Amino acid sequence: ALVHFDAHCDTWPDHAGEPSGHGTWVREAVIEGLVDPRLSIQFGIRSPAQPSTRDYLPDLGGLVYTQRDMRGLHSPQQMLALTQTFRDRCDAAGRPPIYLSLDIDCLDPAFAPGTGTPEPAGLSTSQVVTLLEVLHDLPWAGMDLCEVAPPYDHAELTSNAAATLIWTYLCGRQAASNTR
């Protein structure tokens, strides 16, 4: 299963003419059978894309919550409601291992200016932290956090946000292991 935070859907069929790149990995993971699209959820998607690219994951049964869908949602109760279908699907599938991919550009550039592909009108750091807290008890297999670009990072805002998000994930893993 997959939880993916990003401004971009990463389901393009190619990357600027190359068969593979950082904008194709979700499609490749689905095609290669590494990820079940019905057990996948994306948060913060907002960059423009052709319908065939934008709708790739939802057309296969995946869940996509754009930044517009998430506007005004901040509380744990709101985030829990947003994730319930995903939780139900994972429970029905026997709670498979879940991978977390967190692209820092899911955040609005006000919170993370240090990235190579900033997209205005993104999520707030607190929204992502709340989602990570709400999802802490899932059977995580691992995570990555990508696209931090220190040369563009004014006052280390992006690096600090990235460290906070990783720390929140790790604290959630620890809290979940303490309740087993």
Side-chain angles (χ1 to χ4, degrees), residues 79-92:
M79 297 303 184
L80 186 59
L82 197 67
T83 62
Q84 193 59 52
T85 300
F86 176 73
R87 285 178 166 282
D88 292 345
R89 288 179 182 186
C90 288
D91 287 347

Side-chain angles (χ1 to χ4, degrees), residues 87-158:
R87 285 178 166 282
D88 292 345
R89 288 179 182 186
C90 288
D91 287 347
R95 291 182 56 87
I98 301 170
Y99 190 79
L100 170 65
S101 183
L102 208 158
D103 189 320
I104 201 69
D105 67 27
C106 72
L107 298 177
D108 187 274
F111 301 102
T115 186
T117 52
E119 295 280 348
L123 301 174
S124 70
T125 307
S126 66
Q127 283 178 297
V128 178
V129 165
T130 300
L131 273 163
L132 292 174
E133 290 170 346
V134 163
L135 297 171
H136 83 279
D137 61 331
L138 293 176
W140 296 109
M143 68 96 59
D144 69 74
L145 189 143
C146 62
E147 303 275 345
V148 174
Y152 304 130
D153 194 9
H154 173 73
E156 299 179 349
L157 294 171
T158 311

Side-chain angles (χ1 to χ4, degrees), residues 19-56:
S20 186
H22 68 94
T24 64
W25 75 270
V26 172
R27 179 184 292 255
E28 291 173 32
V30 169
I31 291 169
E32 293 177 18
L34 301 172
V35 171
D36 182 339
R38 295 162 300 171
L39 301 178
S40 300
I41 188 169
Q42 294 181 314
F43 296 106
I45 306 299
R46 63 188 179 281
S47 71
Q50 295 176 340
S52 61
T53 298
R54 180 195 64 222
D55 298 336
Y56 181 79

